[in-house]
Amino acid sequence: MAQVFNFSSGPAMLPADVLQLAQQELCDWQGLGTSVMEISHRGKEFIQVAETAEKDFRDLLNIPSNYKVLFCHGGGRGQFAGVPLNLLGDKTTADYVDAGYWAESAVKEAVKYCSPNVIDAKTIVDGKRAVKPMRDWQLSDNAAYLHYCPNETIDGIAINEMPNFGKDVVVAADFSSSILSSPIDISRFGVIYAGAQKNIGPAGLTLVIVREDLLGKAHKMCPSILDYTVLNDNDSMFNTPPTFAWYLSGLVFKWLKEQGGVAAMDRINQQKAELLYGTIDNSDFYRNDVATANRSRMNVPFQLADSALDKLFLEESFAAGLHALKGHRVVGGMRASIYNAMPLAGVQALTDFMKEFERRHG
Amino acid sequence: MAQVFNFSSGPAMLPADVLQLAQQELCDWQGLGTSVMEISHRGKEFIQVAETAEKDFRDLLNIPSNYKVLFCHGGGRGQFAGVPLNLLGDKTTADYVDAGYWAESAVKEAVKYCSPNVIDAKTIVDGKRAVKPMRDWQLSDNAAYLHYCPNETIDGIAINEMPNFGKDVVVAADFSSSILSSPIDISRFGVIYAGAQKNIGPAGLTLVIVREDLLGKAHKMCPSILDYTVLNDNDSMFNTPPTFAWYLSGLVFKWLKEQGGVAAMDRINQQKAELLYGTIDNSDFYRNDVATANRSRMNVPFQLADSALDKLFLEESFAAGLHALKGHRVVGGMRASIYNAMPLAGVQALTDFMKEFERRHG
């Protein structure tokens, strides 16, 4: 069959080289005669996998030594509870910036634990959806932390500014859909978390980067599996971690290093985004509703001027090997998720298809 | 290389046929041109995987229609919090039967949410470790539920009685290491849970079976990812589930059906256990410290009379393709975990090795 490019928003495309290696060694890993998913997480073989993955992840993001990396269960949704349960301490409020679906979902979970101060950062610029600049975010005086989501997977909205609110403001950010896609100045953050299933590996694993001085103040009702201190004290093995997802994420980190690391990804992601948004903007047939400065380079929602053609577009694109382009139900239209694993050739194939589709139906 | 038999306690051996099938289709699942771990959990293809796995699981355990099955994040440790957070309601205590390491660990988590009434069920029978019969368990009057662990993975202790405390007693049980190994009368339980990584599939997935009348009373601070009602209302897709683990567990369920289901497993597990315990008992060289009635058929700890030979036993058994026989650090000695995926031939190879080792070193 023709090569398939999978634009799923997550679980998402993985690097072809990584999947092929995982396939080769699935039944006999490192000559052990067993699969990596069959061995103990406490044995020296898996400890090696775990430590190497953490080291490579630290290298890729230049994580300072005063930050801990945790490999957790529970997904981004788990961290919607994990963040307040670990960071509130004796405070009763936190600032939550709302710029899209996931930021809002984090608020819905946070109300179980505190009275969030919701900062509505949505705005309109030149008729397009946008996010207010950070200098206009009205932080409260007594917040334990500030939470925001720098890339909204569903809305296709990105906040590209790096936070700079001074050392007393603990910033917690949901990087699920943009981690490893461009450099991050980790030192600006207290906590960064990311579900693996977009830019890291298979679903079921979550990475948390936490500044060590924030440990030790989990709520007394915090489940151990979400308690950063417990996880850190046990090298993320307080309970059996999702070992296969950890292993496969490690292969992705190795692959990223081979590609030139996050800086190289950043360049390719920029090329991919320019190609796709350029195709949309140079046409009256396609439309994207997000202001240029807030356009996500990872998730590109777009509408056909004539939505009656949506079904045909999806059928024909699928037949052409361009999968999972249907937009999220709350936005409609199309969405192309173009994470690190999506090669430039995939975006080229998509834009070629879009132009040809427009030629035939425009 | 020679065939390897992996006696790991979890993550554990998977059926060879299942791993081979997963390997074949890892990069191109059902002709889609993508891996099953790359597709959306909300697409029709994965929904089919999910629903089939649940149906097969229900068939295997004869789960009545008034019980819900949830596919969760968080492992058994997650359920140590999940059970009290979902079942306490307005009560402040629950009965916790302590018969081993995991039952005790559940108590340590439960104290965050209630004042557990700990029932020490450990006893000694004929000089061997045993568990008091259920009729001797002193239940409290005001307990929200009774929690116990029917198979202690580390201690090698099993509670084979089925609970029968009347309809007002909600029984919650941690079946992580024995689920699907023998029939269970589900109707005796309020909640059954099991981490997947022993008898179900890869680590990172947890199955919960919950009687539907117990839904709807989660604690207001219960994280959504542990809230049975939220999970049930969203068909276990409130957040992205561990899709690959769910898929692979589904393959295990199909394999179990092909083998003749749980009744057939029960017979084979009995044969395996008789062969291994028989070899231990017919020797002064090996020893098991658990009373016959409470011996686990899944996890068989045994000691060498001369512990100075432990290291050699482990080296030689590994060289013979018998992996992961080292006992848990809190018990020492050896442990053979012989879950469903371990064929009788594996236990035969182990007992042959044990006899030969005794002949040479006894």
Side-chain angles (χ1 to χ4, degrees):
Chain A
M1 68 185 307
Q3 180 168 10
V4 165
F5 295 110
N6 169 20
F7 296 90
S8 175
S9 62
M13 192 171 181
L14 291 161
D17 294 349
V18 165
L19 272 179
Q20 279 156 20
L21 177 56
Q23 181 176 41
Q24 275 170 34
E25 60 190 24
L26 194 77
C27 296
D28 183 11
W29 178 74
Q30 297 198 346
L32 264 184
T34 57
S35 177
V36 67
M37 72 179 97
E38 297 177 300
I39 63 172
S40 171
H41 53 300
R42 301 199 189 279
K44 65 180 187 302
E45 294 86 358
F46 190 79
I47 298 278
Q48 175 78 34
V49 170
E51 288 179 351
T52 304
E54 181 184 333
K55 182 180 180 309
D56 288 338
F57 182 67
R58 283 183 168 278
D59 290 349
L60 285 164
L61 283 174
N62 259 314
I63 299 176
S65 61
N66 63 324
Y67 285 76
K68 303 296 184 181
V69 174
L70 311 174
F71 289 73
C72 318
H73 291 252
R77 289 268 195 193
Q79 292 307 317
F80 290 174
V83 166
L85 282 166
N86 282 279
L87 299 187
L88 276 170
D90 52 11
K91 301 220 172 164
T92 56
T93 190
D95 291 326
Y96 274 78
V97 177
D98 180 6
Y101 183 91
W102 289 107
E104 199 179 336
S105 302
V107 174
K108 286 180 188 160
E109 188 79 2
V111 295
K112 293 179 181 173
Y113 311 105
C114 65
S115 303
N117 168 45
V118 180
I119 300 167
D120 183 359
K122 295 173 186 167
T123 188
I124 300 289
V125 171
D126 297 336
K128 299 262 190 180
R129 300 175 67 190
V131 183
K132 293 176 191 163
M134 288 184 173
R135 65 172 180 276
D136 292 344
W137 296 0
Q138 294 291 325
L139 275 53
S140 55
D141 293 333
N142 50 351
Y145 57 88
L146 165 74
H147 180 277
Y148 81 108
C149 178
N151 188 81
E152 287 284 355
T153 320
I154 291 174
D155 306 83
I157 285 178
I159 299 171
N160 295 312
E161 282 184 272
M162 276 285 138
N164 193 11
F165 299 98
K167 68 178 176 49
D168 292 339
V169 177
V170 175
V171 180
D174 176 1
F175 269 88
S176 292
S177 48
S178 56
I179 197 157
L180 296 168
S181 69
S182 62
I184 304 172
D185 181 352
I186 304 287
S187 71
R188 306 286 186 94
F189 296 87
V191 172
I192 284 174
Y193 62 91
Q197 69 272 15
K198 298 167 192 295
N199 248 329
I200 295 176
L205 176 70
T206 314
L207 269 80
V208 173
I209 306 167
V210 54
R211 212 175 63 212
E212 61 186 357
D213 64 284
L214 298 171
L215 298 175
K217 53 178 187 175
H219 190 282
K220 63 185 170 51
M221 291 184 75
C222 181
S224 297
I225 60 158
L226 292 175
D227 186 325
Y228 299 159
T229 311
V230 170
L231 293 170
N232 181 58
D233 288 348
N234 291 277
D235 298 326
S236 300
M237 294 197 187
F238 177 68
N239 62 334
T240 312
T243 53
F244 184 72
W246 194 330
Y247 148 81
L248 210 121
S249 300
L251 297 188
V252 171
F253 300 151
K254 281 266 179 269
W255 176 84
L256 284 171
K257 282 183 148 183
E258 287 161 15
Q259 307 306 304
V262 171
M265 283 296 124
D266 189 38
R267 284 192 297 276
I268 300 168
N269 287 326
Q270 186 60 25
Q271 286 179 291
K272 284 151 56 183
E274 283 174 8
L275 177 57
L276 182 46
Y277 282 113
T279 302
I280 294 167
D281 291 343
N282 289 327
S283 145
D284 295 328
F285 191 82
Y286 302 106
R287 189 182 81 244
N288 168 275
D289 292 331
V290 180
T292 309
N294 291 117
R295 280 175 163 180
S296 167
R297 301 191 315 178
M298 296 288 101
N299 312 97
V300 183
F302 60 93
Q303 316 283 330
L304 276 61
D306 178 5
S307 64
L309 288 170
D310 282 4
K311 188 160 171 287
L312 189 65
F313 184 95
L314 288 168
E315 283 167 7
E316 292 194 4
S317 57
F318 187 86
L322 307 167
H323 288 193
L325 284 164
K326 190 174 181 182
H328 191 276
R329 62 187 186 282
V330 305
V331 175
M334 309 297 149
R335 175 177 50 173
S337 293
I338 50 176
Y339 302 119
N340 285 341
M342 174 64 65
L344 183 59
V347 179
Q348 189 67 59
L350 171 60
T351 54
D352 289 349
F353 171 83
M354 288 168 70
K355 288 174 194 161
E356 171 64 15
F357 188 86
E358 178 178 357
R359 192 186 62 73
R360 285 185 288 112
H361 301 285
Chain B
M1 67 185 308
Q3 180 166 12
V4 164
F5 295 110
N6 168 21
F7 295 90
S8 175
S9 63
M13 192 171 181
L14 290 162
D17 294 349
V18 165
L19 272 179
Q20 280 156 20
L21 177 56
Q23 182 176 41
Q24 276 169 34
E25 60 190 24
L26 194 78
C27 296
D28 183 11
W29 178 72
Q30 297 199 346
L32 264 184
T34 58
S35 177
V36 66
M37 73 179 95
E38 297 176 299
I39 63 172
S40 171
H41 53 299
R42 301 201 189 278
K44 64 181 188 302
E45 294 86 359
F46 190 79
I47 299 277
Q48 174 79 33
V49 170
E51 289 179 350
T52 304
E54 181 185 333
K55 183 181 180 308
D56 287 339
F57 182 67
R58 284 183 168 277
D59 290 349
L60 285 164
L61 283 175
N62 258 314
I63 300 176
S65 61
N66 63 324
Y67 284 77
K68 304 296 185 182
V69 174
L70 311 175
F71 289 73
C72 316
H73 291 251
R77 289 267 194 192
Q79 292 307 317
F80 290 175
V83 165
L85 282 166
N86 281 280
L87 298 187
L88 276 170
D90 52 10
K91 301 219 173 164
T92 57
T93 190
D95 291 325
Y96 274 79
V97 177
D98 179 7
Y101 183 92
W102 288 109
E104 200 179 336
S105 302
V107 174
K108 285 180 189 160
E109 187 79 2
V111 295
K112 294 179 182 173
Y113 311 106
C114 65
S115 304
N117 169 45
V118 179
I119 301 167
D120 183 359
K122 294 172 185 166
T123 188
I124 300 290
V125 171
D126 296 337
K128 300 262 191 179
R129 300 177 67 190
V131 184
K132 293 176 191 163
M134 286 184 174
R135 64 173 181 276
D136 292 343
W137 295 0
Q138 294 292 325
L139 274 54
S140 55
D141 292 334
N142 50 351
Y145 57 89
L146 164 75
H147 180 276
Y148 81 109
C149 178
N151 188 82
E152 287 284 356
T153 320
I154 291 175
D155 307 82
I157 285 178
I159 299 170
N160 295 311
E161 283 184 272
M162 275 286 138
N164 192 11
F165 299 99
K167 67 178 177 49
D168 291 339
V169 177
V170 175
V171 180
D174 176 1
F175 270 89
S176 291
S177 48
S178 56
I179 198 158
L180 295 168
S181 70
S182 62
I184 304 171
D185 181 351
I186 304 288
S187 70
R188 305 287 186 94
F189 296 87
V191 171
I192 284 174
Y193 63 90
Q197 70 274 14
K198 297 165 192 295
N199 249 327
I200 294 177
L205 176 70
T206 315
L207 269 79
V208 173
I209 306 167
V210 54
R211 213 175 62 212
E212 61 185 356
D213 63 283
L214 298 171
L215 298 174
K217 54 178 188 176
H219 191 283
K220 64 184 169 53
M221 290 184 75
C222 181
S224 297
I225 61 157
L226 292 175
D227 185 326
Y228 299 159
T229 311
V230 170
L231 292 169
N232 180 59
D233 288 348
N234 292 278
D235 298 326
S236 300
M237 294 197 187
F238 177 68
N239 61 334
T240 311
T243 52
F244 184 72
W246 194 331
Y247 147 82
L248 210 123
S249 300
L251 297 188
V252 172
F253 300 152
K254 281 267 179 269
W255 176 84
L256 283 171
K257 282 185 147 181
E258 287 161 14
Q259 307 307 304
V262 172
M265 283 296 123
D266 189 38
R267 283 193 297 277
I268 300 168
N269 287 327
Q270 185 60 26
Q271 286 179 293
K272 285 151 54 182
E274 283 174 6
L275 178 58
L276 182 47
Y277 283 112
T279 301
I280 294 167
D281 291 343
N282 289 327
S283 146
D284 296 327
F285 191 81
Y286 302 106
R287 187 182 83 243
N288 168 276
D289 292 330
V290 180
T292 310
N294 291 115
R295 281 176 163 178
S296 166
R297 300 192 315 179
M298 297 288 99
N299 311 97
V300 183
F302 60 93
Q303 317 282 331
L304 275 62
D306 178 4
S307 63
L309 289 170
D310 283 3
K311 188 161 171 287
L312 189 66
F313 183 94
L314 287 168
E315 284 167 7
E316 291 194 4
S317 58
F318 188 87
L322 306 167
H323 288 194
L325 284 165
K326 189 173 182 182
H328 191 276
R329 64 188 186 280
V330 305
V331 175
M334 309 297 151
R335 174 176 50 172
S337 293
I338 49 176
Y339 302 119
N340 284 341
M342 176 63 67
L344 182 59
V347 179
Q348 189 67 59
L350 171 60
T351 55
D352 289 349
F353 171 83
M354 288 167 69
K355 288 174 194 162
E356 172 63 15
F357 188 87
E358 178 178 357
R359 191 186 62 73
R360 284 185 289 113
H361 302 285

